[in-house]
Amino acid sequence: MYVIYAPMEVLRGKPVSQRIDSELKLLSEKIGAPTLVVYLVNGDRSSAIYARSKIKKGEKIGAKVILREYSKDVSIDELEMNLSKDATDPAIHGIMIERPLPDGIDIHEPMKIVPSVKDVEGLHPENYGLLGMGDPRFIAPTPLGALLLMLHYGVEIKGSEVVVVGRSPNVGRPLATLLSQKVAWGNATVTLVHSRTKDIGAHTKRADIVITAVGRSKMLKGDMVKEGAILIDLGINPEGNGIVGDVDIEDVAGKAWGATPTPGGTGPVTVSSMFLNLYKARMLQEGLKVEFNDEILGSVYGERGGN
Ligand code: NAP
């Protein structure tokens, strides 16, 4: 059942993920099903749910997903040996490692084995560097999804004041880099705030677009946003039996022009965006021209966008 936060526009993720998935289904027929390997290295329940949701999504769009599960006391040597096999196997197009990893395993170590061209999470230093240089190859799925969601809803990014709350390497920081790119879908003036920022509200209150990637339930209140702002909430915070975002959506309704709900907002778009990276990975590995029929996918990843 949909909750309506009148008079605010509710920017749902489903139409955006469906849009991406439709393109990927077509690509499965055109270029063949790509294969993703997901490493699940702990007994964490939510990571297992996320990993299995990828298998389901893969079945839906026509991609193959292999799950490699390990107990939390797996040795780094065993993990790295299997990663090395997948890294060199031409039948594997993308590799991702579910987080959090058990204590004692630093994500940077296994990630060093994942070749940049199979890095569907956009975390390889080469891909990170390409993004910083203004020539993105694989954009981390959460920032990519946030961008695609805004483009789908016709949000004016160019010239806007954007405040990103949260500076993590996989979400807030690449997002700030992405939206300030000198390309048609970028050109925002971006401020990145974090836990050491003195007065977060002073920044968010002047923003046309606020994007939260924090992990603090309902931290963004109505008195922290300006009239007519657009709020993209990437936070996922357990509450009771469900989840809530970083934005207090009831409190901002009536003040903001539009906001993504949680659940039902950015989450599904992130998963589809990871698959978008997988298809792009296959095209790059097989020397195919990277092109998409869909206008927004083409603008970001095709001939018209970064490669
Ligand atoms: P993270 O690595 O813990 O980073 C959180 C960021 O928020 C840090 O930069 C931290 O600042 C900042 N922060 C923490 N408390 C703050 C406060 N009170 N005020 C301002 N900034 C504060 O988390 P993450 O991986 O980026 O994930 C952030 C949220 O997004 C989580 O809820 C996660 O579950 C969610 N997420 C959602 C998706 C999706 O698909 N929608 C995907 C990935 C993650 P410091 O750097 O100063 O510590």
XYZ file of all heavy atoms in Angstrom, residues 2 13-25 57 60-61 152 268-269 272 294:
177
model
N 0.546 2.228 -0.845
C 1.335 3.456 -0.909
C 0.874 4.444 0.149
O -0.320 4.640 0.358
C 1.162 4.134 -2.270
C 1.981 3.515 -3.370
C 1.727 3.852 -4.693
C 3.003 2.615 -3.093
C 2.465 3.292 -5.719
C 3.748 2.049 -4.112
C 3.484 2.396 -5.421
O 4.223 1.842 -6.434
N 11.165 4.563 -6.321
C 12.259 3.962 -7.077
C 11.799 2.956 -8.118
O 12.492 2.725 -9.108
N 10.625 2.354 -7.891
C 10.224 1.238 -8.750
C 10.183 1.599 -10.249
O 10.735 0.852 -11.071
C 8.868 0.692 -8.300
C 8.657 -0.723 -8.747
C 7.485 -1.354 -8.060
C 7.224 -2.721 -8.677
N 6.005 -3.313 -8.209
N 9.570 2.738 -10.633
C 9.560 3.038 -12.071
C 10.970 3.182 -12.646
O 11.206 2.881 -13.812
C 8.814 4.375 -12.163
C 8.136 4.562 -10.855
C 8.866 3.742 -9.836
N 11.886 3.626 -11.813
C 13.269 3.819 -12.296
C 13.958 2.464 -12.432
O 14.611 2.187 -13.447
C 14.070 4.740 -11.337
C 15.378 5.159 -11.978
C 13.249 5.943 -10.900
N 13.779 1.596 -11.430
C 14.433 0.282 -11.535
C 13.803 -0.512 -12.677
O 14.506 -1.207 -13.414
C 14.399 -0.489 -10.215
O 13.090 -0.736 -9.825
N 12.492 -0.354 -12.874
C 11.847 -1.074 -14.000
C 12.398 -0.584 -15.336
O 12.610 -1.354 -16.264
C 10.331 -0.859 -13.962
C 9.663 -1.722 -12.903
C 8.184 -1.413 -12.724
O 7.717 -0.318 -13.059
N 7.440 -2.372 -12.189
N 12.636 0.706 -15.403
C 13.182 1.294 -16.632
C 14.572 0.718 -16.941
O 14.865 0.349 -18.082
C 13.250 2.815 -16.413
C 13.800 3.584 -17.559
C 13.672 5.075 -17.288
N 14.172 5.803 -18.439
C 14.020 7.091 -18.628
N 13.383 7.822 -17.749
N 14.504 7.671 -19.706
N 15.397 0.620 -15.909
C 16.748 0.056 -16.104
C 16.633 -1.432 -16.458
O 17.256 -1.918 -17.405
C 17.620 0.236 -14.831
C 17.734 1.709 -14.464
C 19.003 -0.388 -15.018
C 18.298 1.979 -13.067
N 15.784 -2.143 -15.712
C 15.651 -3.598 -15.924
C 15.168 -3.918 -17.340
O 15.603 -4.895 -17.944
C 14.666 -4.209 -14.914
C 15.181 -4.115 -13.480
O 16.341 -3.711 -13.301
O 14.409 -4.422 -12.556
N 14.245 -3.096 -17.873
C 13.734 -3.356 -19.237
C 14.866 -3.294 -20.246
O 14.970 -4.117 -21.145
C 12.701 -2.311 -19.684
O 11.764 -2.144 -18.716
N 15.720 -2.295 -20.073
C 16.862 -2.155 -20.988
C 17.797 -3.363 -20.849
O 18.291 -3.904 -21.832
C 17.613 -0.855 -20.651
C 18.909 -0.670 -21.409
C 18.747 0.089 -22.709
O 17.748 0.809 -22.864
O 19.630 -0.051 -23.584
N 17.999 -3.813 -19.611
C 18.929 -4.918 -19.382
C 18.380 -6.229 -19.951
O 19.130 -7.048 -20.486
C 19.269 -5.047 -17.892
C 19.915 -3.796 -17.272
C 20.300 -4.036 -15.816
C 21.150 -3.336 -18.064
N 17.056 -6.391 -19.860
C 16.432 -7.598 -20.441
C 16.698 -7.641 -21.942
O 17.052 -8.670 -22.501
C 14.920 -7.540 -20.225
C 14.450 -8.378 -19.061
C 12.941 -8.482 -19.098
C 12.369 -8.325 -17.717
N 10.968 -8.030 -17.654
N 16.845 -10.951 -8.842
C 16.861 -9.900 -9.874
C 17.527 -10.412 -11.147
O 17.065 -10.156 -12.259
C 17.584 -8.673 -9.321
C 17.890 -7.608 -10.326
C 16.682 -6.814 -10.729
C 16.429 -5.681 -9.774
N 15.314 -4.846 -10.157
N 15.238 -12.408 -13.144
C 14.212 -11.562 -13.773
C 14.716 -10.905 -15.071
O 13.994 -10.820 -16.054
C 13.823 -10.468 -12.768
C 12.435 -9.937 -12.952
C 12.045 -9.059 -11.792
C 11.383 -7.819 -12.333
N 11.338 -6.738 -11.383
N 15.959 -10.461 -15.042
C 16.439 -9.719 -16.223
C 17.256 -10.584 -17.182
O 17.570 -10.139 -18.279
C 17.260 -8.469 -15.826
C 18.442 -8.852 -14.935
C 16.382 -7.433 -15.171
C 19.308 -7.678 -14.568
N 15.422 10.516 -14.145
C 14.105 9.966 -14.486
C 13.000 10.948 -14.113
O 12.043 11.132 -14.872
C 13.896 8.633 -13.756
C 12.517 8.073 -13.906
N 12.131 7.317 -14.999
C 11.404 8.187 -13.125
C 10.853 6.974 -14.875
N 10.397 7.488 -13.744
N 15.727 -0.122 -4.540
C 15.638 -0.954 -5.746
C 16.464 -0.410 -6.911
O 16.928 -1.179 -7.760
C 14.143 -0.920 -6.120
C 13.439 -0.158 -5.047
C 14.440 0.409 -4.105
N 16.667 0.903 -6.936
C 17.437 1.501 -8.043
C 18.917 1.137 -7.905
O 19.619 0.940 -8.902
C 17.248 3.037 -8.094
C 17.802 3.586 -9.394
C 15.782 3.421 -7.934
N 19.413 -2.380 -9.394
C 19.385 -2.335 -10.869
C 20.642 -1.667 -11.424
O 21.143 -2.062 -12.477
C 18.141 -1.572 -11.347
O 16.991 -2.310 -11.012
N 17.900 3.440 -23.943
C 17.251 4.368 -23.027
C 18.045 5.680 -22.943
O 19.267 5.667 -22.771
C 17.154 3.730 -21.637
C 16.408 4.617 -20.674
O 17.025 5.528 -20.077
O 15.187 4.420 -20.539
